[in-house]
Amino acid sequence: MIMKKVGIIVGSVRPNRRSMQVANWLKVQLKKSTKVQFDIIDLKEVNLPMMDEPKIPYLGLYVHEKTRKWSELVQSYDGFIFVFPQYN
């Protein structure tokens, strides 16, 4: 049986964020599963500006190498868990 891959996406890029701590805690809790591999994907490290590509994303015709790498990364996963902060 092929192990499934799930990315835990940290959705905050702020300097004093708490989302990374939550994602790390979640990954430890989920390690109990032997059927799914969980990886943390930190948007702060990805450095993918919004609205940086001239064409509609679903076409997959990316101009920038960083966008192509992001596309390859997300396509390698079977699912995602998003960890986003709540403000106010």
Side-chain angles (χ1 to χ4, degrees):
M1 181 173 137
I2 297 174
M3 185 178 284
K4 298 285 185 182
K5 284 178 54 177
V6 173
I8 302 170
I9 297 181
V10 178
S12 175
V13 297
R14 291 179 176 228
N16 296 323
R17 64 193 176 154
R18 301 283 187 254
S19 301
M20 183 57 84
Q21 292 149 316
V22 174
N24 284 321
W25 174 85
L26 179 62
K27 184 177 179 182
V28 168
Q29 304 309 306
L30 296 171
K31 274 188 176 179
K32 298 170 187 171
S33 171
T34 59
K35 297 179 182 176
V36 180
Q37 171 187 327
F38 294 95
D39 300 320
I40 293 178
I41 302 170
D42 187 356
L43 292 185
K44 192 172 187 177
E45 293 178 11
V46 171
N47 188 24
L48 189 65
M50 290 187 63
M51 310 303 233
D52 196 32
E53 291 287 339
K55 298 191 188 282
I56 298 172
Y58 84 87
L59 296 173
L61 302 173
Y62 303 119
V63 174
H64 304 292
E65 179 63 25
K66 60 188 167 193
T67 312
R68 287 191 289 275
K69 286 182 180 179
W70 170 254
S71 177
E72 290 171 9
L73 176 68
V74 297
Q75 288 181 46
S76 72
Y77 284 90
D78 298 297
F80 298 96
I81 298 171
F82 295 88
V83 178
F84 286 103
Q86 177 182 346
Y87 297 102
N88 298 330

